[in-house]
Amino acid sequence: MFVNSVMRDPRGFRNAVFLGLTLSFLGLGLLLGVTHTSGDGRMLAVVSVALLPVLGLVALVTFLILNGMTMLRKEGRTVANLLSLACGVGIIALLLLLVAALVARHHVLTALAAASVLVVCYLAFLFFCYLTYGFLYRRMPIRRPPDFVVILGAGLMGGKRVSPLLASRLERGRAVYEALDPQFGPMLIVSGGKGTDERLSEAEAMANYLVESGFPADRILKEDQSSTTEENLLFSAALMRENRPEGYRCVVVTNDFHSYRAALIARDLGVPAQVVGSPTAAYFLPSATIREFIAVFVRYWKVNVPICAFLAAPSLVMLAR
């Protein structure tokens, strides 16, 4: 099912779910296989089941809290920069709730703990799916030579200068463009509007950066009205249809942590795009990835919210009684 789904469209979120299920069943199958052996194999399985989840949880919480502190120190105090720290603290709070429920044996605490664990397990599984398939998607080769390379904008420094994060996208976009055959006349689109705190549009700053570093100005198209990823893709698609009304293919360039969500949006909008990612500073990735996952979860809330409600319902009914 996973292979068939990827062959049909590598951008769908069901690909991530199928991959997550495949890896989960593979892990369970290997574990069961080891437990049916004798001697050292069985002992190894018992030790793994007993210790790995505990050690993994301790390592995860420690990493999230330390990364959150690094984000606050380097990027400032914003909600987005608090995400990894908040997740680490949230896991600790959930563990404390479980301990309190076990010690007190109070029906209210037990019901809340049970509902919280089931919902968090579902979120953890989805995040695992998103993380593993996003990693795989970013490494897929470009299938067909595109007619356009679209570089998505990001905030400017001082309202007019390209930031290191945006420069990474531009350099990746240039590399993709230069790998194309020039006889087919590919074009590069820089996409990004003018924010309230910016002196010029992101598209203008991106074009200036490329031209100043030797990129041919006559191969650049500017989309300078967008303010979201959806608008980046929609307005760029309008430019591409205008230049190639007979049909087009494109590669969209963004940062690696944003690439899979951008691919999901392109699929939902009907834009025939493959998305590739540029490198991002390692310390920035955890919070950025969590933010992207939250955005994907909210994007498909019509599926996710009912599932969370279904998982929590039995415990909440017990609480009501």
Side-chain angles (χ1 to χ4, degrees), residues 270-298:
V271 179
Q274 181 175 347
V275 184
V276 300
S278 64
T280 308
Y283 77 88
F284 193 82
L285 281 175
S287 287
T289 303
I290 293 170
R291 184 177 70 242
E292 293 295 305
F293 171 71
I294 292 172
V296 170
F297 181 88
V298 172

PDB file of all heavy atoms in Angstrom, residues 270-298:
ATOM      1  N   GLY A 270      -3.419  21.662  -6.240  1.00  0.00           N
ATOM      2  CA  GLY A 270      -3.361  21.205  -7.625  1.00  0.00           C
ATOM      3  C   GLY A 270      -2.189  21.759  -8.404  1.00  0.00           C
ATOM      4  O   GLY A 270      -2.233  21.812  -9.636  1.00  0.00           O
ATOM      5  N   VAL A 271      -1.130  22.180  -7.721  1.00  0.00           N
ATOM      6  CA  VAL A 271       0.061  22.708  -8.397  1.00  0.00           C
ATOM      7  C   VAL A 271       1.013  21.541  -8.675  1.00  0.00           C
ATOM      8  O   VAL A 271       1.431  20.847  -7.739  1.00  0.00           O
ATOM      9  CB  VAL A 271       0.772  23.765  -7.526  1.00  0.00           C
ATOM     10  CG1 VAL A 271       2.028  24.284  -8.221  1.00  0.00           C
ATOM     11  CG2 VAL A 271      -0.172  24.921  -7.223  1.00  0.00           C
ATOM     12  N   PRO A 272       1.367  21.291  -9.942  1.00  0.00           N
ATOM     13  CA  PRO A 272       2.240  20.164 -10.275  1.00  0.00           C
ATOM     14  C   PRO A 272       3.683  20.448  -9.896  1.00  0.00           C
ATOM     15  O   PRO A 272       4.518  20.809 -10.732  1.00  0.00           O
ATOM     16  CB  PRO A 272       2.073  20.038 -11.793  1.00  0.00           C
ATOM     17  CG  PRO A 272       1.744  21.424 -12.248  1.00  0.00           C
ATOM     18  CD  PRO A 272       0.945  22.054 -11.144  1.00  0.00           C
ATOM     19  N   ALA A 273       3.994  20.292  -8.621  1.00  0.00           N
ATOM     20  CA  ALA A 273       5.309  20.677  -8.114  1.00  0.00           C
ATOM     21  C   ALA A 273       5.924  19.562  -7.299  1.00  0.00           C
ATOM     22  O   ALA A 273       5.234  18.845  -6.571  1.00  0.00           O
ATOM     23  CB  ALA A 273       5.184  21.933  -7.253  1.00  0.00           C
ATOM     24  N   GLN A 274       7.249  19.452  -7.407  1.00  0.00           N
ATOM     25  CA  GLN A 274       8.032  18.676  -6.461  1.00  0.00           C
ATOM     26  C   GLN A 274       8.790  19.682  -5.618  1.00  0.00           C
ATOM     27  O   GLN A 274       9.297  20.686  -6.128  1.00  0.00           O
ATOM     28  CB  GLN A 274       9.009  17.744  -7.179  1.00  0.00           C
ATOM     29  CG  GLN A 274       9.841  16.901  -6.208  1.00  0.00           C
ATOM     30  CD  GLN A 274      10.713  15.888  -6.923  1.00  0.00           C
ATOM     31  OE1 GLN A 274      10.552  15.631  -8.110  1.00  0.00           O
ATOM     32  NE2 GLN A 274      11.653  15.296  -6.197  1.00  0.00           N
ATOM     33  N   VAL A 275       8.862  19.437  -4.327  1.00  0.00           N
ATOM     34  CA  VAL A 275       9.488  20.391  -3.413  1.00  0.00           C
ATOM     35  C   VAL A 275      10.818  19.833  -2.927  1.00  0.00           C
ATOM     36  O   VAL A 275      10.901  18.667  -2.521  1.00  0.00           O
ATOM     37  CB  VAL A 275       8.576  20.703  -2.211  1.00  0.00           C
ATOM     38  CG1 VAL A 275       9.204  21.778  -1.323  1.00  0.00           C
ATOM     39  CG2 VAL A 275       7.200  21.157  -2.693  1.00  0.00           C
ATOM     40  N   VAL A 276      11.848  20.656  -2.972  1.00  0.00           N
ATOM     41  CA  VAL A 276      13.159  20.269  -2.446  1.00  0.00           C
ATOM     42  C   VAL A 276      13.537  21.240  -1.334  1.00  0.00           C
ATOM     43  O   VAL A 276      13.048  22.368  -1.277  1.00  0.00           O
ATOM     44  CB  VAL A 276      14.240  20.265  -3.550  1.00  0.00           C
ATOM     45  CG1 VAL A 276      13.880  19.279  -4.649  1.00  0.00           C
ATOM     46  CG2 VAL A 276      14.420  21.661  -4.145  1.00  0.00           C
ATOM     47  N   GLY A 277      14.418  20.782  -0.451  1.00  0.00           N
ATOM     48  CA  GLY A 277      14.766  21.582   0.718  1.00  0.00           C
ATOM     49  C   GLY A 277      16.227  22.000   0.731  1.00  0.00           C
ATOM     50  O   GLY A 277      17.099  21.306   0.202  1.00  0.00           O
ATOM     51  N   SER A 278      16.474  23.137   1.347  1.00  0.00           N
ATOM     52  CA  SER A 278      17.839  23.611   1.547  1.00  0.00           C
ATOM     53  C   SER A 278      18.236  23.401   3.007  1.00  0.00           C
ATOM     54  O   SER A 278      17.373  23.289   3.874  1.00  0.00           O
ATOM     55  CB  SER A 278      17.935  25.097   1.191  1.00  0.00           C
ATOM     56  OG  SER A 278      17.133  25.874   2.073  1.00  0.00           O
ATOM     57  N   PRO A 279      19.530  23.346   3.304  1.00  0.00           N
ATOM     58  CA  PRO A 279      19.981  23.076   4.674  1.00  0.00           C
ATOM     59  C   PRO A 279      19.568  24.179   5.649  1.00  0.00           C
ATOM     60  O   PRO A 279      19.423  25.340   5.282  1.00  0.00           O
ATOM     61  CB  PRO A 279      21.509  23.005   4.542  1.00  0.00           C
ATOM     62  CG  PRO A 279      21.766  22.765   3.093  1.00  0.00           C
ATOM     63  CD  PRO A 279      20.658  23.429   2.349  1.00  0.00           C
ATOM     64  N   THR A 280      19.373  23.773   6.903  1.00  0.00           N
ATOM     65  CA  THR A 280      19.016  24.687   7.984  1.00  0.00           C
ATOM     66  C   THR A 280      19.920  24.414   9.171  1.00  0.00           C
ATOM     67  O   THR A 280      20.342  23.276   9.380  1.00  0.00           O
ATOM     68  CB  THR A 280      17.545  24.480   8.404  1.00  0.00           C
ATOM     69  OG1 THR A 280      16.710  24.546   7.246  1.00  0.00           O
ATOM     70  CG2 THR A 280      17.091  25.548   9.389  1.00  0.00           C
ATOM     71  N   ALA A 281      20.213  25.446   9.948  1.00  0.00           N
ATOM     72  CA  ALA A 281      21.032  25.274  11.147  1.00  0.00           C
ATOM     73  C   ALA A 281      20.431  24.196  12.038  1.00  0.00           C
ATOM     74  O   ALA A 281      19.220  24.177  12.274  1.00  0.00           O
ATOM     75  CB  ALA A 281      21.134  26.596  11.901  1.00  0.00           C
ATOM     76  N   ALA A 282      21.265  23.298  12.551  1.00  0.00           N
ATOM     77  CA  ALA A 282      20.791  22.126  13.290  1.00  0.00           C
ATOM     78  C   ALA A 282      19.970  22.508  14.517  1.00  0.00           C
ATOM     79  O   ALA A 282      18.955  21.873  14.811  1.00  0.00           O
ATOM     80  CB  ALA A 282      21.980  21.257  13.688  1.00  0.00           C
ATOM     81  N   TYR A 283      20.388  23.531  15.244  1.00  0.00           N
ATOM     82  CA  TYR A 283      19.671  23.893  16.465  1.00  0.00           C
ATOM     83  C   TYR A 283      18.269  24.409  16.183  1.00  0.00           C
ATOM     84  O   TYR A 283      17.386  24.357  17.044  1.00  0.00           O
ATOM     85  CB  TYR A 283      20.452  24.957  17.249  1.00  0.00           C
ATOM     86  CG  TYR A 283      20.355  26.357  16.686  1.00  0.00           C
ATOM     87  CD1 TYR A 283      19.317  27.214  17.059  1.00  0.00           C
ATOM     88  CD2 TYR A 283      21.287  26.831  15.759  1.00  0.00           C
ATOM     89  CE1 TYR A 283      19.221  28.495  16.530  1.00  0.00           C
ATOM     90  CE2 TYR A 283      21.196  28.090  15.234  1.00  0.00           C
ATOM     91  CZ  TYR A 283      20.168  28.927  15.627  1.00  0.00           C
ATOM     92  OH  TYR A 283      20.071  30.195  15.102  1.00  0.00           O
ATOM     93  N   PHE A 284      18.039  24.902  14.959  1.00  0.00           N
ATOM     94  CA  PHE A 284      16.754  25.477  14.582  1.00  0.00           C
ATOM     95  C   PHE A 284      15.737  24.403  14.180  1.00  0.00           C
ATOM     96  O   PHE A 284      14.525  24.632  14.240  1.00  0.00           O
ATOM     97  CB  PHE A 284      16.973  26.448  13.409  1.00  0.00           C
ATOM     98  CG  PHE A 284      15.815  27.343  13.106  1.00  0.00           C
ATOM     99  CD1 PHE A 284      15.594  28.501  13.833  1.00  0.00           C
ATOM    100  CD2 PHE A 284      14.920  27.037  12.087  1.00  0.00           C
ATOM    101  CE1 PHE A 284      14.529  29.340  13.562  1.00  0.00           C
ATOM    102  CE2 PHE A 284      13.847  27.860  11.802  1.00  0.00           C
ATOM    103  CZ  PHE A 284      13.658  29.022  12.542  1.00  0.00           C
ATOM    104  N   LEU A 285      16.229  23.218  13.799  1.00  0.00           N
ATOM    105  CA  LEU A 285      15.365  22.194  13.209  1.00  0.00           C
ATOM    106  C   LEU A 285      14.284  21.652  14.145  1.00  0.00           C
ATOM    107  O   LEU A 285      13.135  21.499  13.719  1.00  0.00           O
ATOM    108  CB  LEU A 285      16.209  21.037  12.674  1.00  0.00           C
ATOM    109  CG  LEU A 285      16.875  21.266  11.320  1.00  0.00           C
ATOM    110  CD1 LEU A 285      17.770  20.081  10.972  1.00  0.00           C
ATOM    111  CD2 LEU A 285      15.833  21.468  10.231  1.00  0.00           C
ATOM    112  N   PRO A 286      14.587  21.307  15.411  1.00  0.00           N
ATOM    113  CA  PRO A 286      13.537  20.714  16.250  1.00  0.00           C
ATOM    114  C   PRO A 286      12.297  21.588  16.390  1.00  0.00           C
ATOM    115  O   PRO A 286      11.173  21.124  16.144  1.00  0.00           O
ATOM    116  CB  PRO A 286      14.247  20.506  17.596  1.00  0.00           C
ATOM    117  CG  PRO A 286      15.675  20.339  17.234  1.00  0.00           C
ATOM    118  CD  PRO A 286      15.896  21.285  16.093  1.00  0.00           C
ATOM    119  N   SER A 287      12.468  22.847  16.779  1.00  0.00           N
ATOM    120  CA  SER A 287      11.310  23.735  16.936  1.00  0.00           C
ATOM    121  C   SER A 287      10.608  23.967  15.608  1.00  0.00           C
ATOM    122  O   SER A 287       9.372  23.983  15.541  1.00  0.00           O
ATOM    123  CB  SER A 287      11.749  25.078  17.537  1.00  0.00           C
ATOM    124  OG  SER A 287      12.063  24.946  18.904  1.00  0.00           O
ATOM    125  N   ALA A 288      11.385  24.138  14.543  1.00  0.00           N
ATOM    126  CA  ALA A 288      10.790  24.365  13.231  1.00  0.00           C
ATOM    127  C   ALA A 288       9.995  23.146  12.773  1.00  0.00           C
ATOM    128  O   ALA A 288       8.899  23.276  12.208  1.00  0.00           O
ATOM    129  CB  ALA A 288      11.881  24.689  12.213  1.00  0.00           C
ATOM    130  N   THR A 289      10.517  21.952  13.026  1.00  0.00           N
ATOM    131  CA  THR A 289       9.818  20.725  12.628  1.00  0.00           C
ATOM    132  C   THR A 289       8.531  20.548  13.419  1.00  0.00           C
ATOM    133  O   THR A 289       7.495  20.150  12.871  1.00  0.00           O
ATOM    134  CB  THR A 289      10.739  19.509  12.819  1.00  0.00           C
ATOM    135  OG1 THR A 289      11.938  19.689  12.060  1.00  0.00           O
ATOM    136  CG2 THR A 289      10.050  18.237  12.357  1.00  0.00           C
ATOM    137  N   ILE A 290       8.588  20.839  14.725  1.00  0.00           N
ATOM    138  CA  ILE A 290       7.378  20.746  15.548  1.00  0.00           C
ATOM    139  C   ILE A 290       6.330  21.734  15.049  1.00  0.00           C
ATOM    140  O   ILE A 290       5.136  21.409  14.954  1.00  0.00           O
ATOM    141  CB  ILE A 290       7.719  21.016  17.031  1.00  0.00           C
ATOM    142  CG1 ILE A 290       8.600  19.889  17.578  1.00  0.00           C
ATOM    143  CG2 ILE A 290       6.443  21.128  17.863  1.00  0.00           C
ATOM    144  CD1 ILE A 290       9.194  20.179  18.941  1.00  0.00           C
ATOM    145  N   ARG A 291       6.758  22.953  14.715  1.00  0.00           N
ATOM    146  CA  ARG A 291       5.827  23.964  14.199  1.00  0.00           C
ATOM    147  C   ARG A 291       5.175  23.498  12.901  1.00  0.00           C
ATOM    148  O   ARG A 291       3.970  23.661  12.703  1.00  0.00           O
ATOM    149  CB  ARG A 291       6.571  25.278  13.971  1.00  0.00           C
ATOM    150  CG  ARG A 291       5.672  26.421  13.514  1.00  0.00           C
ATOM    151  CD  ARG A 291       6.438  27.717  13.379  1.00  0.00           C
ATOM    152  NE  ARG A 291       7.365  27.705  12.251  1.00  0.00           N
ATOM    153  CZ  ARG A 291       8.668  27.818  12.366  1.00  0.00           C
ATOM    154  NH1 ARG A 291       9.233  27.914  13.553  1.00  0.00           N
ATOM    155  NH2 ARG A 291       9.441  27.818  11.289  1.00  0.00           N
ATOM    156  N   GLU A 292       5.976  22.899  12.020  1.00  0.00           N
ATOM    157  CA  GLU A 292       5.438  22.404  10.755  1.00  0.00           C
ATOM    158  C   GLU A 292       4.437  21.275  10.996  1.00  0.00           C
ATOM    159  O   GLU A 292       3.392  21.204  10.341  1.00  0.00           O
ATOM    160  CB  GLU A 292       6.579  21.917   9.862  1.00  0.00           C
ATOM    161  CG  GLU A 292       7.510  23.008   9.375  1.00  0.00           C
ATOM    162  CD  GLU A 292       6.822  23.990   8.453  1.00  0.00           C
ATOM    163  OE1 GLU A 292       6.232  23.561   7.452  1.00  0.00           O
ATOM    164  OE2 GLU A 292       6.870  25.204   8.755  1.00  0.00           O
ATOM    165  N   PHE A 293       4.752  20.386  11.934  1.00  0.00           N
ATOM    166  CA  PHE A 293       3.841  19.286  12.232  1.00  0.00           C
ATOM    167  C   PHE A 293       2.509  19.807  12.773  1.00  0.00           C
ATOM    168  O   PHE A 293       1.442  19.311  12.400  1.00  0.00           O
ATOM    169  CB  PHE A 293       4.471  18.331  13.245  1.00  0.00           C
ATOM    170  CG  PHE A 293       3.515  17.300  13.765  1.00  0.00           C
ATOM    171  CD1 PHE A 293       3.082  16.267  12.951  1.00  0.00           C
ATOM    172  CD2 PHE A 293       3.016  17.378  15.058  1.00  0.00           C
ATOM    173  CE1 PHE A 293       2.177  15.311  13.414  1.00  0.00           C
ATOM    174  CE2 PHE A 293       2.121  16.438  15.532  1.00  0.00           C
ATOM    175  CZ  PHE A 293       1.693  15.403  14.709  1.00  0.00           C
ATOM    176  N   ILE A 294       2.567  20.786  13.660  1.00  0.00           N
ATOM    177  CA  ILE A 294       1.332  21.373  14.188  1.00  0.00           C
ATOM    178  C   ILE A 294       0.498  21.952  13.050  1.00  0.00           C
ATOM    179  O   ILE A 294      -0.736  21.783  13.007  1.00  0.00           O
ATOM    180  CB  ILE A 294       1.654  22.455  15.243  1.00  0.00           C
ATOM    181  CG1 ILE A 294       2.270  21.811  16.488  1.00  0.00           C
ATOM    182  CG2 ILE A 294       0.398  23.235  15.622  1.00  0.00           C
ATOM    183  CD1 ILE A 294       2.807  22.806  17.499  1.00  0.00           C
ATOM    184  N   ALA A 295       1.156  22.619  12.119  1.00  0.00           N
ATOM    185  CA  ALA A 295       0.435  23.199  10.981  1.00  0.00           C
ATOM    186  C   ALA A 295      -0.219  22.113  10.125  1.00  0.00           C
ATOM    187  O   ALA A 295      -1.350  22.285   9.644  1.00  0.00           O
ATOM    188  CB  ALA A 295       1.390  24.039  10.135  1.00  0.00           C
ATOM    189  N   VAL A 296       0.466  20.982   9.943  1.00  0.00           N
ATOM    190  CA  VAL A 296      -0.107  19.872   9.173  1.00  0.00           C
ATOM    191  C   VAL A 296      -1.282  19.258   9.928  1.00  0.00           C
ATOM    192  O   VAL A 296      -2.324  18.938   9.342  1.00  0.00           O
ATOM    193  CB  VAL A 296       0.966  18.808   8.873  1.00  0.00           C
ATOM    194  CG1 VAL A 296       0.346  17.546   8.284  1.00  0.00           C
ATOM    195  CG2 VAL A 296       2.002  19.366   7.911  1.00  0.00           C
ATOM    196  N   PHE A 297      -1.120  19.083  11.241  1.00  0.00           N
ATOM    197  CA  PHE A 297      -2.200  18.531  12.059  1.00  0.00           C
ATOM    198  C   PHE A 297      -3.450  19.410  11.951  1.00  0.00           C
ATOM    199  O   PHE A 297      -4.568  18.913  11.770  1.00  0.00           O
ATOM    200  CB  PHE A 297      -1.747  18.441  13.518  1.00  0.00           C
ATOM    201  CG  PHE A 297      -2.779  17.852  14.440  1.00  0.00           C
ATOM    202  CD1 PHE A 297      -2.851  16.480  14.631  1.00  0.00           C
ATOM    203  CD2 PHE A 297      -3.690  18.658  15.109  1.00  0.00           C
ATOM    204  CE1 PHE A 297      -3.803  15.927  15.479  1.00  0.00           C
ATOM    205  CE2 PHE A 297      -4.646  18.120  15.952  1.00  0.00           C
ATOM    206  CZ  PHE A 297      -4.704  16.749  16.136  1.00  0.00           C
ATOM    207  N   VAL A 298      -3.262  20.722  12.038  1.00  0.00           N
ATOM    208  CA  VAL A 298      -4.395  21.652  11.945  1.00  0.00           C
ATOM    209  C   VAL A 298      -4.973  21.640  10.533  1.00  0.00           C
ATOM    210  O   VAL A 298      -6.197  21.729  10.356  1.00  0.00           O
ATOM    211  CB  VAL A 298      -3.947  23.073  12.344  1.00  0.00           C
ATOM    212  CG1 VAL A 298      -5.044  24.089  12.070  1.00  0.00           C
ATOM    213  CG2 VAL A 298      -3.556  23.110  13.820  1.00  0.00           C
TER     214      VAL A 298
END
